[in-house]
Amino acid sequence: MSLAAPRFGDQSKVTITSIQEKKQQGTAITCLTAYDYATARLVDQAAIDMILVGDSLAMVVLGYENTLPITVEEMLHHTRAVRRAVRRALVIADMPYASYVDEKQAVKNAARFLKDGGAEAVKIEGGQKRVPLVHSMLDAEVPVMGHIGLTPQSVHLMGGYRVQGKTLNAIERLVKDAVALDRAGVFALVLEGIPREVAKIITEEVECPTIGIGAGPNCDGQVLVFHDILNLTGQQPAKFVRQYADAAALISGAVSNFKADVEARLFPSDAESYHLPRETQAALETLRARKLAALR
Ligand code: KIV
Protein backbone atom coordinates (compact mmCIF):
# COMPACT_ATOMS: atom_id res chain seq x y z
CA MET A 1 0.00 0.00 0.00
CA SER A 2 1.41 3.40 -0.87
CA LEU A 3 0.69 6.15 1.64
CA ALA A 4 1.98 9.70 1.38
CA ALA A 5 4.14 9.71 4.46
CA PRO A 6 5.13 12.99 6.13
CA ARG A 7 8.51 14.12 4.87
CA PHE A 8 11.23 13.86 7.51
CA GLY A 9 12.92 17.19 8.11
CA ASP A 10 10.26 19.23 6.32
CA GLN A 11 9.98 22.36 8.48
CA SER A 12 6.45 23.14 7.39
CA LYS A 13 5.13 19.68 8.31
CA VAL A 14 2.98 19.89 11.43
CA THR A 15 4.17 17.52 14.14
CA ILE A 16 3.23 16.72 17.70
CA THR A 17 6.18 18.89 18.77
CA SER A 18 5.15 21.88 16.65
CA ILE A 19 1.60 21.64 18.05
CA GLN A 20 2.96 21.71 21.60
CA GLU A 21 5.25 24.63 20.75
CA LYS A 22 2.22 26.59 19.59
CA LYS A 23 0.80 26.45 23.11
CA GLN A 24 4.07 27.68 24.57
CA GLN A 25 4.15 30.54 22.03
CA GLY A 26 0.48 31.40 22.65
CA THR A 27 -0.38 30.77 18.98
CA ALA A 28 -3.88 29.43 18.32
CA ILE A 29 -4.07 25.87 16.97
CA THR A 30 -6.53 25.02 14.17
CA CYS A 31 -8.19 21.67 13.65
CA LEU A 32 -11.01 20.48 11.37
CA THR A 33 -12.43 17.07 10.67
CA ALA A 34 -12.16 15.51 7.20
CA TYR A 35 -13.20 12.10 6.01
CA ASP A 36 -12.24 11.80 2.34
CA TYR A 37 -9.55 12.65 -0.20
CA ALA A 38 -11.27 15.61 -1.86
CA THR A 39 -12.12 17.55 1.28
CA ALA A 40 -8.95 16.63 3.21
CA ARG A 41 -6.91 18.08 0.31
CA LEU A 42 -8.78 21.40 0.63
CA VAL A 43 -8.38 21.49 4.41
CA ASP A 44 -4.66 20.74 4.12
CA GLN A 45 -4.16 23.35 1.40
CA ALA A 46 -5.79 25.92 3.72
CA ALA A 47 -2.93 25.20 6.18
CA ILE A 48 -5.14 23.89 8.99
CA ASP A 49 -2.77 22.43 11.63
CA MET A 50 -4.53 19.18 12.45
CA ILE A 51 -7.02 17.03 10.54
CA LEU A 52 -9.15 14.74 12.67
CA VAL A 53 -10.74 11.77 10.95
CA GLY A 54 -13.50 11.95 13.52
CA ASP A 55 -16.01 9.22 14.22
CA SER A 56 -18.57 11.99 13.61
CA LEU A 57 -18.29 10.61 10.09
CA ALA A 58 -20.75 7.93 11.25
CA MET A 59 -23.38 10.68 11.44
CA VAL A 60 -22.41 13.32 8.88
CA VAL A 61 -21.19 11.01 6.10
CA LEU A 62 -22.79 7.62 6.74
CA GLY A 63 -26.13 8.83 8.11
CA TYR A 64 -26.17 6.94 11.43
CA GLU A 65 -28.09 8.43 14.34
CA ASN A 66 -25.00 8.51 16.59
CA THR A 67 -21.31 7.59 16.42
CA LEU A 68 -21.66 4.14 17.99
CA PRO A 69 -22.10 1.88 14.92
CA ILE A 70 -18.89 2.80 13.09
CA THR A 71 -16.17 0.13 13.01
CA VAL A 72 -12.36 0.13 13.02
CA GLU A 73 -12.40 -1.07 9.38
CA GLU A 74 -14.63 1.82 8.30
CA MET A 75 -12.52 4.36 10.19
CA LEU A 76 -9.38 2.91 8.59
CA HIS A 77 -10.93 3.18 5.11
CA HIS A 78 -11.55 6.91 5.61
CA THR A 79 -8.22 7.51 7.37
CA ARG A 80 -6.37 6.11 4.33
CA ALA A 81 -8.31 8.39 1.99
CA VAL A 82 -7.41 11.41 4.13
CA ARG A 83 -3.76 10.29 4.38
CA ARG A 84 -3.48 10.15 0.59
CA ALA A 85 -4.53 13.81 0.40
CA VAL A 86 -2.61 15.39 3.26
CA ARG A 87 0.96 16.70 3.00
CA ARG A 88 1.27 19.17 5.85
CA ALA A 89 -1.35 18.77 8.57
CA LEU A 90 -1.06 16.33 11.46
CA VAL A 91 -3.52 13.48 10.77
CA ILE A 92 -5.34 12.07 13.79
CA ALA A 93 -7.68 9.08 13.65
CA ASP A 94 -10.57 8.72 16.07
CA MET A 95 -10.80 5.32 17.72
CA PRO A 96 -14.39 4.14 17.37
CA TYR A 97 -16.73 3.10 20.16
CA ALA A 98 -15.80 -0.23 21.85
CA SER A 99 -12.48 -0.46 19.98
CA TYR A 100 -10.48 0.48 23.09
CA VAL A 101 -12.23 -1.35 25.92
CA ASP A 102 -9.85 -4.30 26.12
CA GLU A 103 -6.37 -2.81 26.57
CA LYS A 104 -4.39 -5.30 24.46
CA GLN A 105 -6.87 -5.09 21.61
CA ALA A 106 -6.96 -1.31 21.97
CA VAL A 107 -3.21 -0.99 21.44
CA LYS A 108 -3.41 -3.32 18.42
CA ASN A 109 -6.27 -1.28 16.96
CA ALA A 110 -4.44 1.98 17.63
CA ALA A 111 -1.27 0.70 15.96
CA ARG A 112 -3.32 -0.22 12.88
CA PHE A 113 -4.35 3.42 12.49
CA LEU A 114 -0.65 4.33 12.24
CA LYS A 115 0.55 1.28 10.32
CA ASP A 116 -2.32 0.67 7.87
CA GLY A 117 -4.10 4.03 8.00
CA GLY A 118 -1.15 6.42 7.87
CA ALA A 119 -2.41 8.43 10.86
CA GLU A 120 0.14 10.10 13.12
CA ALA A 121 -1.92 9.87 16.32
CA VAL A 122 -5.20 8.50 17.65
CA LYS A 123 -7.93 10.09 19.76
CA ILE A 124 -9.79 8.36 22.57
CA GLU A 125 -12.69 9.58 24.70
CA GLY A 126 -12.72 9.42 28.51
CA GLY A 127 -10.93 10.74 31.58
CA GLN A 128 -8.92 9.23 34.45
CA LYS A 129 -9.99 5.67 33.62
CA ARG A 130 -8.04 5.94 30.33
CA VAL A 131 -4.69 6.64 32.03
CA PRO A 132 -3.41 3.01 31.92
CA LEU A 133 -4.42 2.79 28.26
CA VAL A 134 -2.60 6.04 27.42
CA HIS A 135 0.54 4.53 29.01
CA SER A 136 0.19 1.33 26.99
CA MET A 137 -0.34 3.24 23.77
CA LEU A 138 2.70 5.42 24.40
CA ASP A 139 4.69 2.23 25.13
CA ALA A 140 3.69 1.13 21.62
CA GLU A 141 4.82 4.54 20.25
CA VAL A 142 1.27 5.67 19.50
CA PRO A 143 0.70 9.38 20.24
CA VAL A 144 -2.66 9.94 21.92
CA MET A 145 -5.09 12.85 21.94
CA GLY A 146 -7.56 12.83 24.85
CA HIS A 147 -11.20 13.93 24.69
CA ILE A 148 -13.27 14.88 27.75
CA GLY A 149 -16.47 16.77 28.58
CA LEU A 150 -19.32 15.92 26.22
CA THR A 151 -18.03 12.62 24.84
CA PRO A 152 -20.44 11.49 22.08
CA GLN A 153 -19.59 7.78 22.52
CA SER A 154 -21.17 8.04 26.01
CA VAL A 155 -24.42 9.46 24.64
CA HIS A 156 -26.55 6.85 26.44
CA LEU A 157 -24.71 7.23 29.76
CA MET A 158 -25.00 11.03 29.57
CA GLY A 159 -28.71 10.81 28.70
CA GLY A 160 -28.20 12.74 25.45
CA TYR A 161 -25.82 15.36 24.13
CA ARG A 162 -25.70 17.66 27.17
CA VAL A 163 -23.21 20.32 28.23
CA GLN A 164 -20.98 18.79 30.94
CA GLY A 165 -19.19 20.33 33.93
CA LYS A 166 -21.95 22.57 35.23
CA THR A 167 -21.81 21.71 38.96
CA LEU A 168 -18.88 22.07 41.35
CA ASN A 169 -18.53 18.27 41.61
CA ALA A 170 -18.60 17.89 37.84
CA ILE A 171 -16.04 20.68 37.42
CA GLU A 172 -13.72 19.00 39.93
CA ARG A 173 -14.07 15.68 38.07
CA LEU A 174 -13.31 17.30 34.74
CA VAL A 175 -10.22 19.10 36.04
CA LYS A 176 -8.98 15.83 37.62
CA ASP A 177 -9.61 14.01 34.31
CA ALA A 178 -7.69 16.65 32.38
CA VAL A 179 -4.73 16.68 34.76
CA ALA A 180 -4.56 12.87 34.86
CA LEU A 181 -4.55 12.59 31.05
CA ASP A 182 -1.99 15.38 30.76
CA ARG A 183 0.32 13.66 33.26
CA ALA A 184 -0.18 10.34 31.45
CA GLY A 185 1.22 11.97 28.32
CA VAL A 186 -1.58 12.86 25.90
CA PHE A 187 -0.15 15.33 23.37
CA ALA A 188 -3.38 17.36 23.24
CA LEU A 189 -6.80 17.30 24.84
CA VAL A 190 -10.16 17.94 23.18
CA LEU A 191 -12.60 19.75 25.49
CA GLU A 192 -16.13 19.36 24.16
CA GLY A 193 -19.38 20.92 25.38
CA ILE A 194 -18.26 22.50 28.63
CA PRO A 195 -18.67 26.04 30.05
CA ARG A 196 -15.96 28.41 28.86
CA GLU A 197 -14.95 29.17 32.47
CA VAL A 198 -14.17 25.48 33.07
CA ALA A 199 -12.25 25.20 29.79
CA LYS A 200 -10.15 28.20 30.83
CA ILE A 201 -9.24 26.60 34.17
CA ILE A 202 -8.28 23.31 32.47
CA THR A 203 -6.25 25.12 29.80
CA GLU A 204 -4.28 26.88 32.53
CA GLU A 205 -3.84 23.68 34.59
CA VAL A 206 -2.49 21.37 31.88
CA GLU A 207 0.76 21.46 29.93
CA CYS A 208 -0.65 19.97 26.75
CA PRO A 209 -2.68 22.12 24.34
CA THR A 210 -6.46 22.08 24.78
CA ILE A 211 -8.58 22.01 21.64
CA GLY A 212 -12.10 23.24 22.21
CA ILE A 213 -15.39 22.45 20.54
CA GLY A 214 -18.26 24.17 22.30
CA ALA A 215 -15.81 25.09 25.08
CA GLY A 216 -15.35 28.81 24.53
CA PRO A 217 -12.46 30.98 23.36
CA ASN A 218 -9.86 30.32 26.07
CA CYS A 219 -8.70 26.94 24.76
CA ASP A 220 -5.33 26.71 23.01
CA GLY A 221 -7.05 25.78 19.75
CA GLN A 222 -10.42 25.09 18.19
CA VAL A 223 -11.88 22.16 16.26
CA LEU A 224 -15.13 22.00 14.30
CA VAL A 225 -16.77 19.39 12.12
CA PHE A 226 -16.20 20.09 8.40
CA HIS A 227 -19.85 19.44 7.49
CA ASP A 228 -21.04 21.82 10.23
CA ILE A 229 -19.07 24.84 9.02
CA LEU A 230 -20.36 24.28 5.48
CA ASN A 231 -24.04 23.63 6.28
CA LEU A 232 -23.86 20.08 4.99
CA THR A 233 -25.53 18.19 7.84
CA GLY A 234 -29.14 18.98 6.92
CA GLN A 235 -29.74 19.82 10.59
CA GLN A 236 -30.00 22.89 12.78
CA PRO A 237 -26.41 23.58 13.90
CA ALA A 238 -25.47 23.53 17.59
CA LYS A 239 -24.95 26.89 19.36
CA PHE A 240 -21.17 26.59 19.16
CA VAL A 241 -21.04 26.08 15.38
CA ARG A 242 -20.21 28.96 13.06
CA GLN A 243 -21.21 28.34 9.44
CA TYR A 244 -18.64 29.81 7.07
CA ALA A 245 -20.39 28.89 3.83
CA ASP A 246 -23.64 27.42 2.58
CA ALA A 247 -22.36 24.50 0.54
CA ALA A 248 -25.82 22.90 0.69
CA ALA A 249 -27.28 25.82 -1.31
CA LEU A 250 -24.34 25.74 -3.73
CA ILE A 251 -24.64 21.99 -4.34
CA SER A 252 -28.46 22.01 -4.60
CA GLY A 253 -28.28 24.85 -7.13
CA ALA A 254 -25.68 23.06 -9.24
CA VAL A 255 -27.63 19.77 -9.21
CA SER A 256 -30.91 21.51 -10.18
CA ASN A 257 -29.16 23.36 -13.02
CA PHE A 258 -27.73 20.07 -14.33
CA LYS A 259 -31.20 18.49 -14.29
CA ALA A 260 -32.74 21.47 -16.08
CA ASP A 261 -30.00 21.52 -18.76
CA VAL A 262 -30.31 17.78 -19.48
CA GLU A 263 -34.11 17.95 -19.66
CA ALA A 264 -33.94 20.97 -21.99
CA ARG A 265 -31.25 19.16 -24.07
CA LEU A 266 -28.86 22.03 -23.38
CA PHE A 267 -26.24 19.66 -22.01
CA PRO A 268 -23.88 18.52 -23.43
CA SER A 269 -23.06 21.18 -26.00
CA ASP A 270 -20.96 20.54 -29.11
CA ALA A 271 -17.94 21.96 -27.27
CA GLU A 272 -18.49 19.40 -24.50
CA SER A 273 -18.52 16.47 -27.01
CA TYR A 274 -15.71 14.43 -28.58
CA HIS A 275 -15.38 14.52 -32.38
CA LEU A 276 -14.07 12.10 -35.00
CA PRO A 277 -10.95 13.17 -36.92
CA ARG A 278 -11.98 14.82 -40.22
CA GLU A 279 -10.62 11.95 -42.45
CA THR A 280 -12.42 9.28 -40.38
CA GLN A 281 -15.64 11.27 -40.58
CA ALA A 282 -15.31 11.53 -44.38
CA ALA A 283 -14.53 7.78 -44.69
CA LEU A 284 -17.49 6.96 -42.49
CA GLU A 285 -19.85 9.06 -44.60
CA THR A 286 -18.59 7.39 -47.81
CA LEU A 287 -19.08 3.94 -46.27
CA ARG A 288 -22.61 4.74 -45.10
CA ALA A 289 -23.52 6.18 -48.53
CA ARG A 290 -22.25 2.98 -50.23
CA LYS A 291 -24.20 0.77 -47.85
CA LEU A 292 -27.37 2.79 -48.43
CA ALA A 293 -26.83 2.59 -52.22
CA ALA A 294 -26.37 -1.20 -52.02
CA LEU A 295 -29.65 -1.49 -50.18
CA ARG A 296 -31.56 0.40 -52.88
O1 KIV B 1 -15.65 12.88 15.89
C1 KIV B 1 -15.41 14.08 15.91
O2 KIV B 1 -15.61 14.82 14.93
C2 KIV B 1 -14.87 14.64 17.14
C3 KIV B 1 -14.70 16.11 17.23
C4 KIV B 1 -16.01 16.75 17.35
C5 KIV B 1 -13.78 16.51 18.30
O3 KIV B 1 -14.59 13.92 18.04
Side-chain angles (χ1 to χ4, degrees), residues 38-293:
T39 58
R41 197 162 50 95
L42 296 174
V43 174
D44 192 45
Q45 284 169 359
I48 293 291
D49 294 317
M50 300 193 285
I51 295 183
L52 171 67
V53 188
D55 63 352
S56 50
L57 89 83
M59 298 167 80
V60 300
V61 175
L62 302 181
Y64 289 115
E65 208 170 301
N66 54 46
T67 59
L68 307 191
I70 199 147
T71 64
V72 169
E73 295 309 322
E74 288 170 314
M75 289 299 300
L76 272 169
H77 174 76
H78 287 268
T79 305
R80 286 188 205 108
V82 168
R83 174 73 278 160
R84 286 191 283 269
V86 175
R87 297 289 172 271
R88 178 186 172 275
L90 188 78
V91 175
I92 304 154
D94 222 351
M95 298 212 43
Y97 172 68
S99 70
Y100 51 99
V101 180
D102 173 72
E103 205 167 301
K104 258 193 176 162
Q105 193 56 46
V107 175
K108 277 189 188 160
N109 287 336
R112 282 192 73 197
F113 280 104
L114 270 62
K115 215 175 154 98
D116 305 338
E120 294 160 272
V122 299
K123 177 168 83 57
I124 56 173
E125 296 183 5
Q128 296 177 67
K129 65 181 173 193
R130 301 289 180 223
V131 164
L133 178 57
V134 173
H135 286 142
S136 301
M137 288 202 182
L138 293 177
D139 281 350
E141 322 303 338
V142 179
V144 185
M145 173 183 249
H147 182 165
I148 58 170
L150 192 169
T151 44
Q153 292 175 12
S154 320
V155 58
H156 297 310
L157 264 183
M158 291 182 306
Y161 299 107
R162 296 165 192 280
V163 174
Q164 303 293 302
K166 294 212 284 193
T167 63
L168 290 181
N169 279 342
I171 295 167
E172 193 185 351
R173 258 199 317 277
L174 270 178
V175 175
K176 278 188 176 158
D177 282 341
V179 169
L181 288 168
D182 185 44
R183 289 201 182 130
V186 296
F187 78 91
L189 184 58
V190 170
L191 304 179
E192 179 166 356
I194 62 174
R196 61 176 289 180
E197 298 82 358
V198 181
K200 183 171 187 290
I201 294 170
I202 292 174
T203 301
E204 287 165 0
E205 286 288 321
V206 298
E207 266 181 39
C208 70
T210 58
I211 312 295
I213 173 163
N218 300 108
C219 300
D220 298 304
Q222 298 291 331
V223 56
L224 281 176
V225 167
F226 182 86
H227 289 57
D228 278 339
I229 69 166
L230 290 163
N231 188 27
L232 281 174
T233 63
Q235 287 184 359
Q236 185 65 23
K239 174 189 168 97
F240 61 81
V241 170
R242 188 176 293 178
Q243 282 182 346
Y244 286 89
D246 191 354
L250 197 74
I251 293 170
S252 299
V255 171
S256 299
N257 287 342
F258 168 73
K259 173 179 155 66
D261 282 356
V262 170
E263 288 173 351
R265 302 211 174 275
L266 291 170
F267 175 83
S269 68
D270 188 55
E272 288 158 334
S273 307
Y274 295 109
H275 294 88
L276 278 175
R278 211 170 295 149
E279 320 79 71
T280 315
Q281 175 69 15
L284 184 65
E285 275 164 22
T286 309
L287 190 69
R288 291 187 74 204
R290 272 198 213 129
K291 275 196 180 155
L292 274 177

